[in-house]
């Protein structure tokens, strides 16, 4: 169990990564506008022996880009961490702060893109540039048995990191894909953004159902 960002398995981009010119320029602007924000690539968070990985899209401007911890500080984190606590993948109290004492259990969170993108929309080139960090995190978890992909971008990037054919595993909320042995299953969910929940595309019940399926899978998967 680990409550700190920056896990041993996580080879994160440097704090002033300039690999993606557009993202670096956006960080520069935000460092002036919000000097108290992290405004740097956001490290992963969780348990170094995790069997479950959650793959998100990218840091939110006033969420993880501000706090430095994935899904911390915005609505998406409210729904995600409440659900993780409910299904035993987190303990403590989530309070939108990286020092709130929340810890993940058998679970790690990694974003497909580590830097905040303008309008929350990374380009295909930016997603590809960050994929080695996602792939490295996947390979560094020997006990990994399940991935919950939050949205199509996370789904596609995770499958590419696993060297799986996207055409064989189409994204659909609630879908589950056996993509690798032994027993590595990718579970798809719509992203837990405020937009998706406000429009009814994703309800808390729909979101919980995905994690119930992941929990059931892990409860029978070999250690």
């Amino acid at each position: 169990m680990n409550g700190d960002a920056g896990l041993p398995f996580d080879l994160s981009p440097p704090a002033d990564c300039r690999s993606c010119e557009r993202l670096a320029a956006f960080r520069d602007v935000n460092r002036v506008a919000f000097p108290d924000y992290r405004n740097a690539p956001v490290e992963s968070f969780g348990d170094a022996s995790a069997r479950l990985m959650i793959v998100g899209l990218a840091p939110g401007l006033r969420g993880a880009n501000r706090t430095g911890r994935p899904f911390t500080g915005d609505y998406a984190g409210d729904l995600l961490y409440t659900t993780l606590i409910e299904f035993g993948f987190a303990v403590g109290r989530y309070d939108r702060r990286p020092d709130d004492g929340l810890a993940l259990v058998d679970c790690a969170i990694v974003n497909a893109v580590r830097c905040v993108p303008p309008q929350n929309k990374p380009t295909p080139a930016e997603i590809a540039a960050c994929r080695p960090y996602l792939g490295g995190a996947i390979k560094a978890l020997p006990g990994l048995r399940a991935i919950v992909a939050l949205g199509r971008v996370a789904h596609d990037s995770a499958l590419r990191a696993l060297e799986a054919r996207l055409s064989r595993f189409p994204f659909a909320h609630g879908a589950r894909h056996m993509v690798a042995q032994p027993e590595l299953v990718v579970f798809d969910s719509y992203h837990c953004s405020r937009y998706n929940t406000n429009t009814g595309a994703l309800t808390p019940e729909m979101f919980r159902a995905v994690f119930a399926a992941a929990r059931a899978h892990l409860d029978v998967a070999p250690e």
Side-chain angles (χ1 to χ4, degrees):
M1 185 169 65
N2 192 319
D4 298 324
L7 300 175
F9 66 78
D10 189 10
L11 299 176
S12 295
D16 196 28
C17 180
R18 314 298 292 187
S19 295
C20 301
E21 182 177 345
R22 189 181 73 117
L23 299 189
F26 191 53
R27 286 203 321 268
D28 292 342
V29 170
N30 287 318
R31 284 173 178 163
V32 174
F34 309 107
D36 56 334
Y37 284 17
R38 176 178 173 83
N39 292 314
V42 174
E43 298 172 335
S44 58
F45 169 53
D47 189 339
S49 60
R51 293 183 300 155
L52 172 67
M53 175 181 284
I54 298 163
V55 180
L57 171 59
L61 176 60
R62 292 177 173 79
N65 179 66
R66 175 174 62 85
T67 65
R69 191 177 75 180
F71 289 91
T72 299
D74 55 20
Y75 176 81
D78 293 350
L79 180 55
L80 176 62
Y81 286 119
T82 297
T83 304
L84 293 181
I85 291 170
E86 177 180 351
F87 287 95
F89 292 118
V91 294
R93 178 174 176 264
Y94 172 67
D95 194 27
R96 294 192 172 195
R97 298 179 293 107
D99 60 351
D100 56 14
L102 183 84
L104 300 187
V105 180
D106 202 17
C107 175
I109 302 175
V110 180
N111 278 322
V113 175
R114 299 297 182 99
C115 293
V116 59
Q119 300 179 327
N120 294 321
K121 293 180 180 179
T123 67
E126 290 160 357
I127 297 166
C130 232
R131 190 168 301 118
Y133 299 106
L134 174 59
I138 290 172
K139 291 177 182 178
L141 290 176
L144 189 64
R145 295 294 179 266
I147 294 174
V148 172
L150 301 180
R152 184 182 298 275
V153 170
H155 166 94
D156 289 357
S157 198
L159 287 178
R160 286 192 169 106
L162 291 165
E163 300 181 347
R165 292 184 180 179
L166 300 188
S167 60
R168 290 187 57 197
F169 308 106
F171 174 82
H173 178 83
R176 54 184 293 165
H177 312 282
M178 175 85 69
V179 298
Q181 296 291 346
E183 298 294 324
L184 178 56
V185 176
V186 174
F187 296 85
D188 288 340
S189 174
Y190 293 139
H191 195 282
C192 48
S193 66
R194 183 182 293 276
Y195 176 83
N196 281 344
T197 56
N198 281 351
T199 60
L202 178 70
T203 66
E205 292 75 20
M206 291 168 62
F207 197 59
R208 288 198 294 269
V210 172
F211 282 91
R215 176 85 271 170
H217 169 68
L218 291 179
D219 285 347
V220 299
E223 296 289 341

